[in-house]
Amino acid sequence: MDIEEVKKRLPAGEDSEHQFKENFSSIDQLAAEICAFANSQGGCIFTGVNDLGQICGISQSDVRRLNQWISNATAQKIEPPIFVRTHTLLTDNSLLLIIEVPRGIHKPYCVNKSDFWVKNGADKRRATREQLFRLMQASHRLFADEMTTEVPVTDVDRLRFSHFYRMTFGEDPDESEIREHTLLENLKLAAGGNLTLAGLMLFGSRTAICRPQFSIKGTVYLTEDEFRDKEDIGGNLFEQHRRGTDFILRNLRRIPKLSDFNAPGEVEIPSPAIKEAVANALAHRDYFIDAPVFINLFENRVEIASPGILPNTVTVENIRMGIHIERNPILLSFLAKDPDFGYTGRGIPRLLRLCQQKNVQVTLINDTERRMFRVIFARPVS
């Protein structure tokens, strides 16, 4: 970064990736700013610039002191240690120190072993409990689906679990020499006598009661503000997938085939693409966020929105190519074995290909403001 780039950037003001500081009066203050950027998206700290974006400069001794503080803060104050880049720039006899903080890959970072900071717009704040869970999830240190719930193992749907076990492993669980509770624990569906979140969402007998927030809310709109049909879809993930897909398909139009006008016609959006989109929403959603998956049908589009933005460095362009990071590995390992659910890990490229063949436009949006990932199918004009 050179001085001309800095001068062009300063009038735009502060945001979540650019912070202005006249100076730092303590190493803890400096460490907190670096920590907040590392726990968020990374960014730059412009030292020697006031809140209005005006260059006030710092002295040579300030530069030496701050460089020493940066070295100590990133190696000793902040855990785990993090590497940052610094640039010293001269303009109009004023010195600036630019600190470039990368997006952390070993989150969460803390200061003095106890203070976890994140960016909140242009400011910073201490991380909430939920944010800490997400930070650990982003660094693959914690998975929501392996966390233990308050639901006892006795709440497992034994018929569903037995059917799945026979289909997958070729034997009845009752024939196994391993006790059912131990079997569930070995499969990471239970721990300490209770179901894990994966066990509850896959084979719980009271999933809709125990976790009503992890459901699907389906709505068919007449206009942007008026609706004609709504459905709350709860239960285990296999049931949610089936009912969620059915909700969309029964509310789509059928397009008559030119060769046979009396035939039932083709659904306006390929049904396998709808099935893939609902599967991805349930399999990849963030279960640290207490919110449902939303299915909204409008006159001109179908939107499927799942809680949670894309993890780590994954982008919309990445997932178009089939790249993904497993946010819920236990859930995925079971869902991939169910032929009706049909999860393959290559859903988005297949979805896009199916829609391209039928000239259906698909938009993928990583909505960071609402913390949702949205798949939008354009509906042909009737």
Side-chain angles (χ1 to χ4, degrees):
M1 180 176 292
D2 59 34
I3 194 61
E4 294 305 318
E5 290 179 289
V6 171
K7 287 182 176 180
K8 288 180 181 178
R9 179 62 192 75
L10 295 183
E14 296 178 306
D15 58 26
S16 59
E17 296 182 6
H18 301 86
Q19 186 78 34
F20 301 159
K21 290 291 181 182
E22 291 189 29
N23 210 325
F24 286 97
S25 58
S26 74
I27 188 173
D28 284 343
Q29 180 191 22
L30 172 62
E33 295 292 345
I34 294 174
C35 177
F37 274 120
N39 278 332
S40 303
Q41 303 299 314
C44 290
I45 304 170
F46 296 79
T47 315
V49 178
N50 64 25
D51 292 341
L52 299 177
Q54 299 167 335
I55 296 175
C56 54
I58 55 177
S59 67
Q60 286 279 7
S61 61
D62 285 332
V63 172
R64 290 192 294 270
R65 172 178 56 86
L66 290 174
N67 273 316
Q68 185 61 52
W69 280 4
I70 291 168
S71 177
N72 292 341
T74 55
Q76 300 172 19
K77 285 277 184 181
I78 299 173
E79 294 183 8
I82 188 169
F83 174 79
V84 302
R85 297 178 61 189
T86 61
H87 308 269
T88 304
L89 303 177
L90 177 64
T91 175
D92 301 326
N93 296 319
S94 296
L95 283 173
L96 301 180
L97 180 64
I98 314 298
I99 307 168
E100 290 188 22
V101 184
R103 179 180 183 178
I105 59 175
H106 300 298
K107 301 174 183 179
Y109 295 86
C110 69
V111 178
N112 296 328
K113 300 184 182 298
S114 60
D115 296 326
F116 296 86
W117 297 91
V118 294
K119 293 296 291 183
N120 180 30
D123 298 320
K124 69 179 185 301
R125 68 179 179 189
R126 282 184 168 84
T128 63
R129 179 175 178 270
E130 185 179 80
Q131 286 172 323
L132 282 176
F133 279 145
R134 292 180 195 162
L135 290 171
M136 287 187 281
Q137 182 187 43
S139 61
H140 292 264
R141 294 168 61 183
L142 180 68
F143 298 102
D145 60 348
E146 68 182 15
M147 296 185 69
T148 307
T149 70
E150 75 289 352
V151 183
V153 173
T154 51
D155 264 27
V156 71
D157 185 334
R158 298 190 75 252
L159 288 177
R160 178 173 291 276
F161 175 69
S162 296
H163 171 74
F164 189 94
Y165 192 89
R166 284 194 300 271
M167 177 184 65
T168 305
F169 300 104
E171 67 173 2
D172 194 293
D174 292 335
E175 299 172 357
S176 173
E177 297 179 358
I178 305 174
R179 294 172 56 236
E180 183 180 71
H181 288 195
T182 304
L183 193 62
L184 290 168
E185 290 190 359
N186 289 347
L187 294 171
K188 296 190 176 181
L189 298 173
N194 288 345
L195 294 175
T196 62
L197 185 63
L200 175 62
M201 296 307 299
L202 293 168
F203 304 111
S205 62
R206 299 184 301 131
T207 306
I209 297 173
C210 298
R211 288 296 185 275
Q213 68 272 37
F214 297 150
S215 60
I216 296 176
K217 302 285 187 182
T219 308
V220 181
Y221 288 89
L222 290 169
T223 67
E224 295 290 328
D225 301 313
E226 298 178 288
F227 68 90
R228 68 170 176 82
D229 189 16
K230 296 186 75 172
E231 184 176 351
D232 291 339
I233 302 170
N236 62 65
L237 293 185
F238 304 109
E239 183 178 356
Q240 287 189 40
H241 179 248
R242 177 182 58 79
R243 292 175 58 196
T245 302
D246 289 345
F247 177 80
I248 298 174
L249 293 178
R250 73 169 181 261
N251 283 290
L252 292 180
R253 296 183 285 264
R254 267 36 180 198
I255 302 173
K257 297 179 181 179
L258 295 177
S259 58
D260 187 355
F261 188 79
N262 294 319
E266 293 183 347
V267 69
E268 58 186 303
I269 300 170
S271 55
I274 294 294
K275 188 175 181 180
E276 288 280 5
V278 176
N280 274 277
L282 295 172
H284 290 297
R285 63 152 292 164
D286 188 340
Y287 284 95
F288 283 122
I289 300 176
D290 289 340
V293 169
F294 290 96
I295 294 176
N296 297 321
L297 282 79
F298 299 90
E299 188 65 23
N300 64 344
R301 68 192 187 278
V302 174
E303 295 191 6
I304 301 174
S306 57
I309 57 176
L310 295 176
N312 292 344
T313 56
V314 177
T315 65
V316 169
E317 290 71 27
N318 291 155
I319 63 172
R320 283 179 173 272
M321 301 299 293
I323 297 171
H324 69 277
I325 291 178
E326 294 186 354
R327 178 181 269 145
N328 306 301
I330 302 171
L331 286 176
L332 290 175
S333 68
F334 281 88
L335 296 175
K337 293 181 176 68
D338 184 81
D340 293 327
F341 198 93
Y343 179 81
T344 64
R346 301 184 298 276
I348 293 296
R350 180 170 182 261
L351 178 158
L352 295 172
R353 185 176 67 256
L354 289 167
C355 288
Q356 185 179 36
Q357 291 170 355
K358 297 297 182 180
N359 295 317
V360 175
Q361 181 182 351
V362 182
T363 305
L364 308 177
I365 300 176
N366 190 34
D367 191 339
T368 55
E369 183 176 345
R370 294 183 178 86
R371 298 199 66 80
M372 311 260 319
F373 183 77
R374 296 157 59 201
V375 179
I376 303 175
F377 299 91
R379 300 179 70 179
V381 179
S382 58

